[in-house]
DNA sequence: GCCGTTCTTTGATTCAGGGCAAAGAACGCT
DNA sequence: AGCGTTCTTTGCCCTGAATCAAAGAACGGC
């Protein structure tokens, strides 16, 4: 008796939009199945806390849609965003009871969640998965160091320009066939001025002033509070003080991020 | 014929002072031997560049003595120290040709070096070693995020106070039997004012002014430009704006660092 | 010891960016 | 559509920290 052709059961993961960019794509199918088995999709509204700063982190996962902010808050209320997570990015701190950072929904979000201990067991059994996580955390550390340069050595206008360029880079699918001259450059800033300020180490007022000024000087164009056009890319790069952020220039920050929150 | 009792050959590693605190201690003896085989002790004078920012990173290793600074430099010369490596800390970027940060000797240093590819081969063969590296990088990321809070949200006096407390924490062997009241608190700052400024995101002049002011107010005592006494720990903690830096309070930053340079 | 170099401190001045207050826009909600 | 709430912009003032300049201290070499 002949064996029937294998029937492929579609799991939720097979329809996952971020899969090919996330850690799931980097491991063998058999492992993907195991990940799939312990995963659970959850949604949160903008403003909700996914993981609190002091609390035990019981789960972690991958952003499917929306934006997460990873932040630390001081006793007197000052807060610093230490990471912004876009779809396909990983959040949560493995191998530590608590991480000392909070993870919050900056917009409505859909997350693919794992119970932390289950995921850690998987990591322990699978060096391949752990290797991929290791690579992701290394990239995240590179990005964190890059941000330290921004916070420690750059002026506010430079930070804003850098932010636009990095955001553009991370959200744009590179289309090399289209001549960059003709391409209409636009950036969508998916967060509020308040979050921008907390990310760039400044205040909402200053953010606003800098943006208006860049617009007045014809470097950018304000379509709406969150949508901008880049009118003069070269000048924007010059404003950022960092040649390496020039569009087309590859860099480490392109890779998905990893929040250890 | 009876087997002779095993003869233990002492390798350089057996005399290594930082071994018990470094990654070597966290893996099995058989692996330690393998690490030992590919290691080579090298020394550099203060000011030397171990790894340049743009160059290929051909080796990596562990600090045995002295201090390394991990830094990024902007086109116009501004530079930010993104990590300070003390004995037992790991430096170098695995799985990447170049890391975009420079590693320099802040003092005369002794390093236990590995050729990068040889070390990576070892990592690939040994999930245990990779796991330990993974943990170390996770801790380093925690520390980087902590520093982002410092650079993005704290005033300069707060940064200086935090720096003293963190340094004290990292260089003091905790002696719980000795009553903390009576313990003479002292900090040795192993780097120049210039490096402090580059680490804290400010200038030498401001660093100097803040230190002199803290001394005038009786919070610290200046024994020499690099040696200080902590006269009023409580007030120093209050200056830092961060209760969690209070001496005796455990935190993630206590662990050895990992420079991905 | 003396002397040049580098590191640190101090003073005077300037200015980028923060804080406060209020007006204006955008976004629900019913 | 009308209205309250939240988000963003703008103006004014002020302060923390950078900059410039120069004096002191510490260090290394001979």
């Amino acid at each position: 008796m002949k064996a029937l052709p294998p029937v492929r059961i579609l799991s939720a993961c097979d329809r996952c939009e971020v899969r090919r960019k996330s850690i799931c794509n980097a491991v063998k199918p058999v492992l993907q199945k195991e990940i799939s088995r312990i995963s659970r999709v959850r949604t949160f509204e903008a403003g909700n806390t996914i993981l609190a700063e002091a609390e035990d982190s019981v789960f972690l996962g991958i952003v499917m849609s929306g934006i997460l902010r990873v932040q630390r808050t001081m006793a007197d209320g000052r807060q610093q965003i230490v990471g912004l997570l876009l779809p396909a990015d990983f959040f949560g701190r493995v191998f530590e009871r608590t991480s000392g950072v909070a993870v919050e929904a900056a917009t409505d979000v859909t997350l693919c969640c794992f119970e932390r201990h289950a995921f850690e067991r998987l990591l322990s059994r699978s060096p391949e998965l752990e290797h991929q996580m290791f690579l992701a955390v290394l990239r995240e550390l590179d990005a964190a160091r890059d941000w330290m340069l921004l916070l420690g050595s750059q002026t506010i206008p430079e930070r804003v320009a850098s932010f636009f360029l990095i955001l553009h880079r991370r959200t744009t699918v590179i289309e090399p066939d289209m001549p960059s001259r003709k391409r209409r450059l636009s950036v969508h800033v998916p967060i509020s001025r308040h979050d921008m300020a907390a990310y760039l180490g400044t205040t909402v007022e200053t953010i606003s002033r800098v943006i208006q000024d860049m617009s007045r000087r014809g470097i950018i164009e304000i379509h709406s509070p969150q949508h901008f056009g880049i009118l003069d890319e070269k000048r924007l790069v010059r404003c950022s003080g960092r040649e390496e952020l020039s569009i087309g220039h590859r860099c480490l920050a392109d890779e998905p991020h990893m929040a250890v929150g």
Side-chain angles (χ1 to χ4, degrees), chain A:
Chain A
M1 197 172 166
K2 252 194 145 181
L4 291 168
V7 177
R8 199 158 144 57
I9 310 286
L10 283 177
S11 76
C13 292
D14 289 305
R15 275 173 278 112
C16 176
E17 305 232 339
V18 301
R19 186 184 201 174
R20 58 175 195 84
K21 290 175 67 187
S22 79
I23 205 151
C24 305
N25 192 47
V27 298
K28 294 197 206 82
V30 56
L31 196 50
Q32 289 184 9
K33 263 198 190 150
E34 296 227 45
I35 294 174
S36 176
R37 196 168 303 136
I38 63 169
S39 75
R40 185 189 149 199
V41 175
R42 302 180 65 174
T43 62
F44 293 88
E45 287 181 359
N48 280 10
T49 297
I50 319 294
L51 298 170
E53 211 165 315
E55 264 173 31
D56 281 17
S57 67
V58 292
F59 66 94
L60 31 77
I62 295 163
V63 181
M64 294 175 73
S65 71
I67 312 278
L68 292 182
R69 56 171 182 254
V70 185
Q71 61 187 16
R72 281 208 48 171
T73 306
M74 288 178 52
D76 63 5
R78 279 176 286 180
Q79 52 185 37
Q80 179 65 38
I81 294 179
V82 297
L84 221 45
L85 301 181
L86 308 188
D89 290 343
F90 195 99
F91 72 91
R93 173 62 154 95
V94 287
F95 300 127
E96 197 69 58
R97 228 192 70 263
T98 179
S99 74
V101 295
V103 177
E104 299 185 1
T107 66
D108 292 353
V109 290
T110 318
L111 307 175
C112 176
C113 296
F114 314 106
E115 197 265 313
R116 181 162 69 85
H117 292 297
F119 191 77
E120 285 174 359
R121 276 194 297 275
L122 210 53
L123 279 180
S124 301
R125 281 192 291 122
S126 162
E128 185 199 4
L129 181 60
E130 185 157 272
H131 179 71
Q132 291 304 323
M133 286 286 290
F134 182 37
L135 294 183
V137 176
L138 282 167
R139 283 195 299 265
E140 187 69 4
L141 182 55
D142 290 337
R145 293 216 156 113
D146 200 49
W147 212 254
M148 283 168 63
L149 175 69
L150 181 140
L151 293 174
S153 300
Q154 297 191 255
T155 65
I156 309 292
E158 286 173 339
R159 297 183 205 183
V160 173
S162 299
F163 178 68
F164 277 145
L165 290 167
I166 289 171
L167 207 56
H168 179 268
R169 174 186 292 274
R170 285 213 64 205
T171 52
T172 300
V173 181
I174 291 131
E175 300 160 81
D177 42 78
M178 204 189 286
S180 60
R181 261 310 134 74
K182 292 183 104 179
R183 186 173 11 155
R184 188 71 183 290
L185 295 168
S186 75
V187 197
H188 172 223
V189 176
I191 54 172
S192 67
R193 294 283 183 275
H194 180 266
D195 283 351
M196 269 188 82
Y199 197 29
L200 299 176
T202 180
T203 60
V204 280
E205 296 95 325
T206 301
I207 292 279
S208 178
R209 277 186 261 266
V210 169
I211 288 178
Q212 298 301 321
D213 185 59
M214 291 202 320
S215 157
R216 243 172 276 123
R217 296 198 290 152
I219 297 167
I220 60 167
E221 183 177 36
I222 304 171
H223 300 137
S224 84
Q226 302 210 330
H227 291 86
F228 304 89
I230 299 177
L231 298 178
D232 190 340
E233 194 236 318
K234 254 193 154 151
R235 205 132 62 96
L236 187 60
V237 171
R238 222 173 312 124
C239 279
S240 79
R242 296 171 58 172
E243 281 308 314
E244 76 271 20
L245 294 181
S246 171
I247 293 164
H249 192 290
R250 273 207 65 66
C251 83
L252 296 163
D254 292 340
E255 311 301 327
H257 283 208
M258 163 100 24
V260 175

